Amino acid sequence: MYILQIATELAPVAKVGGLGDVLYGLSKELVKKGHEVDILLPKYDVIDYKMLRDLKIELRDIPCKVAGKIVHNTLWSCELDNLRLLLLESHHPDKYFEREKIYGCADDPERFTYFSKAALEMLAKWSSVPDIVHIHDWPTALIAPLYKESFADRVKVGGIVLTIHNLEYQGKCAPEQIEKLGLSPDNPHLEDPYLAETINLLRGGIEYADAVTTVSPTYEQEILTEHEGMGLDLVLQAHRQKFYGILNGIDEDYWNPETDPFLAKRFKTRGAFSLEEVHKAKKENRKQIALHFNLKEEEVPLVASITRLVPQKGPELLLHGLQRTLERGGQFVLLGSNHQMPIEDLFLEWNGQNGRVGISIARDEALSHLLFAAADMLLIPSRFEPCGLTQLIALRYGTVPLARRTGGLADTIFDVDTADVPPQKRNGFTFDHFDQEGANWALERALTYWQNDRAKWDELMLNGMRMDFSWKEPSEKHLELYRKLLLKRARAA
Ligand code: ADP
């Protein structure tokens, strides 16, 4: 099967959050299984070009009409591990993808709707026709309506799949944005359900895609409700029959403590390994973290958080967790990507406190790996969480997750004290209510177990390290869905 992924992030060369990891891990697994996969991205200036091989031009002069004017684009190809990347360079005078960042520009809807149309123009000139075009989140959602309204007679793909990685971001924009690209703005399927005179790009993707997926079964159920549906619950309900929840995985080669180049000391967590060696290695990694953050070297639990600092991730509960950890004699390290939230300063005030707190407001891939390996616990008090990857990475690195039971966290983290799953599946501490008492419920028990019952702690670590959250099974589920669409298309022909 030939699958074309069209997206706006890819780990590790152009990563903002989990979307980049998913593109990388899922695509690699599909290639391993013998499928042909291309990943099409904007040719950003911020891509880490050192990691790419064989960068060369594939197509020149791909025309894309915007507001009556033709803009030219160049298509590049290159390799990353076993993946082939296609990079679309826009020659638009506004230099859409030379902004030193991936998202966060005032004209983001303009940049990405342009990319969506240029991607289809590229496809119309491309030598192969994809069986499946897989698009991701609002930035590429417009591809589904654009394809069906304007391109279907020029290119015939087998099916379009849209994955919602996070329903919070919907790409709301002015009608002119799509009118410029030749789409009628008077289309009820593209309108925001609540805001007048507003286009909702994600809604357009949901309405027009042949299938819509989201990244965990629990999140799938949650966003069908008014409470969690962020204004699109009724749209999703109307398309229930083509809506699926498929749990994400992690790339187990990239996130492998046995080979991870960013660790001070590597360790095995699969096959034959000794827990003693894991503890020893985690101690060595912890020394590096202590050096980096100027922390005391002491035998106390290290609680970590590795997150984008946005309201979704519960920064107020992280701050509370930090304070409570200190009161209980532990250490706390936050690696938080800065999203200009005022709360950032509240964290920084604690930096260095008694040699027990480390705060880094940055996106730092290398440091994140070291911290996953060094910590005892990872605190994830999300308000909502479509899937969440940090808990899966933590498990692999022998770090016990403390997580709120929501979305994908509820599908992957099972409380040490629950009777709902067999003892060997229990791998962390969970809480239900998004408040300080809730967070305390998980944190207090975790700290007590760590301090008083190391045998139990070891059991939890082992359970987590043994679990398979690789892409093997989720990629199979994607393939099942792709095949279903192709069969439907063949029957309709
Ligand atoms: P989201 O996609 O909502 O940010 P996920 O848990 O799905 O959350 O994925 C987050 C990914 O981004 C993980 O790979 C995590 O390690 C990484 N990450 C988050 N914050 C940082 C940071 N400050 N520095 C480095 N990596 C980070």
Side-chain angles (χ1 to χ4, degrees), residues 83-101:
L83 296 173
R84 186 161 77 151
L85 270 53
L86 300 174
L87 303 176
L88 194 86
E89 181 186 9
S90 153
H91 301 294
H92 194 282
D94 287 349
K95 298 192 181 309
Y96 284 145
F97 305 114
E98 292 153 60
R99 304 287 182 84
E100 292 175 1
K101 56 184 169 185

Side-chain angles (χ1 to χ4, degrees), residues 320-389:
H320 170 74
L322 179 159
Q323 291 162 2
R324 197 72 200 107
T325 302
L326 284 191
E327 282 160 16
R328 290 281 310 255
Q331 297 189 355
F332 194 99
V333 171
L334 165 77
L335 174 58
S337 325
N338 178 4
H339 284 258
Q340 273 87 42
M341 277 191 70
I343 192 140
E344 170 196 322
D345 293 335
L346 296 179
F347 281 104
L348 283 170
E349 278 169 23
W350 288 86
N351 199 17
Q353 179 92 5
N354 299 330
R356 288 199 160 153
V357 181
I359 305 288
S360 173
I361 303 293
R363 237 210 72 79
D364 187 333
E365 188 70 18
L367 190 58
S368 76
H369 288 239
L370 188 65
L371 189 53
F372 277 119
D376 297 300
M377 311 167 195
L378 191 79
L379 181 57
I380 318 168
S382 301
R383 199 178 288 275
F384 69 92
E385 193 59 75
C387 176
L389 298 177

Side-chain angles (χ1 to χ4, degrees), residues 236-433:
L236 286 167
Q237 281 176 30
H239 293 284
R240 188 80 194 85
Q241 79 295 346
K242 65 169 189 188
F243 183 39
Y244 306 84
I246 306 179
L247 192 67
N248 279 337
I250 52 168
D251 186 87
E252 292 211 329
D253 296 327
Y254 186 70
W255 294 109
N256 182 355
E258 199 182 340
T259 54
D260 194 324
F262 300 118
L263 303 196
K265 176 91 186 151
R266 299 184 191 131
F267 53 102
K268 265 181 101 155
T269 57
R270 286 289 155 80
F273 69 92
S274 102
L275 198 56
E276 206 186 317
E277 291 301 316
V278 174
H279 283 306
K280 266 201 213 152
K282 282 183 81 74
K283 252 193 191 148
E284 287 301 309
N285 290 309
R286 168 109 178 235
K287 274 191 192 153
Q288 288 305 311
I289 286 290
L291 269 177
H292 184 94
F293 287 102
N294 236 334
L295 302 177
K296 277 192 225 159
E297 279 193 36
E298 51 184 358
E299 272 278 321
V300 299
L302 174 62
V303 182
S305 164
I306 300 168
T307 187
R308 290 181 299 124
L309 273 183
V310 292
Q312 173 200 341
K313 305 291 182 179
E316 61 276 53
L317 292 188
L318 286 172
L319 195 59
H320 170 74
L322 179 159
Q323 291 162 2
R324 197 72 200 107
T325 302
L326 284 191
E327 282 160 16
R328 290 281 310 255
Q331 297 189 355
F332 194 99
V333 171
L334 165 77
L335 174 58
S337 325
N338 178 4
H339 284 258
Q340 273 87 42
M341 277 191 70
I343 192 140
E344 170 196 322
D345 293 335
L346 296 179
F347 281 104
L348 283 170
E349 278 169 23
W350 288 86
N351 199 17
Q353 179 92 5
N354 299 330
R356 288 199 160 153
V357 181
I359 305 288
S360 173
I361 303 293
R363 237 210 72 79
D364 187 333
E365 188 70 18
L367 190 58
S368 76
H369 288 239
L370 188 65
L371 189 53
F372 277 119
D376 297 300
M377 311 167 195
L378 191 79
L379 181 57
I380 318 168
S382 301
R383 199 178 288 275
F384 69 92
E385 193 59 75
C387 176
L389 298 177
T390 56
Q391 81 276 21
L392 306 182
I393 302 166
L395 292 173
R396 185 103 164 88
Y397 283 65
T399 299
V400 175
L402 321 184
R404 178 152 178 267
R405 221 149 57 104
T406 178
L409 293 169
D411 291 331
T412 53
I413 304 305
F414 307 103
D415 195 280
V416 61
D417 293 320
T418 185
D420 295 347
V421 299
Q424 66 276 14
K425 268 192 95 174
R426 299 175 198 164
N427 57 6
F429 295 83
T430 63
F431 63 100
D432 288 333
H433 296 290

Side-chain angles (χ1 to χ4, degrees), residues 31-218:
V31 171
K32 263 195 217 159
K33 288 187 168 155
H35 300 281
E36 195 186 337
V37 181
D38 280 327
I39 305 173
L40 176 64
L41 297 170
K43 190 169 181 290
Y44 300 110
D45 55 352
V46 288
I47 289 178
D48 189 349
Y49 286 95
K50 293 188 301 298
M51 297 181 80
L52 304 177
R53 299 185 313 271
D54 287 339
L55 186 65
K56 57 176 185 289
I57 290 181
E58 290 282 339
L59 292 174
R60 290 178 198 275
D61 295 331
I62 303 167
C64 182
K65 200 167 171 187
V66 194
K69 289 203 184 100
I70 300 285
V71 178
H72 286 278
N73 301 271
T74 304
L75 184 72
W76 299 71
S77 74
C78 58
E79 315 246 319
L80 170 72
D81 302 334
N82 69 347
L83 296 173
R84 186 161 77 151
L85 270 53
L86 300 174
L87 303 176
L88 194 86
E89 181 186 9
S90 153
H91 301 294
H92 194 282
D94 287 349
K95 298 192 181 309
Y96 284 145
F97 305 114
E98 292 153 60
R99 304 287 182 84
E100 292 175 1
K101 56 184 169 185
I102 290 180
Y103 310 120
C105 305
D107 59 352
D108 277 359
E110 196 171 325
R111 297 165 68 220
F112 294 117
T113 50
Y114 172 85
F115 173 62
S116 299
K117 182 164 185 190
L120 285 166
E121 293 291 359
M122 166 258 150
L123 206 52
K125 290 187 105 188
W126 190 228
S127 47
S128 327
V129 179
D131 294 302
I132 295 293
V133 170
H134 195 152
I135 56 181
H136 300 268
D137 276 347
W138 76 265
T140 50
L142 192 69
I143 287 176
L146 263 175
Y147 172 78
K148 300 230 165 127
E149 296 288 345
S150 322
F151 282 80
D153 50 349
R154 290 167 62 197
V155 205
K156 290 257 176 293
V157 304
I160 299 188
V161 177
L162 165 72
T163 295
I164 301 172
H165 296 262
N166 191 332
L167 190 69
E168 187 175 19
Y169 307 104
Q170 300 182 1
K172 298 183 187 187
C173 58
E176 298 81 69
Q177 220 60 261
I178 62 166
E179 206 170 8
K180 278 200 285 201
L181 304 177
L183 274 181
S184 163
D186 301 319
N187 177 344
H189 299 302
L190 300 180
E191 278 170 12
D192 187 83
Y194 295 97
L195 298 174
E197 302 284 303
T198 304
I199 294 297
N200 185 313
L201 297 171
L202 191 64
R203 178 190 184 165
I206 296 169
E207 298 268 3
Y208 280 85
D210 298 300
V212 180
T213 70
T214 191
V215 290
S216 71
T218 296

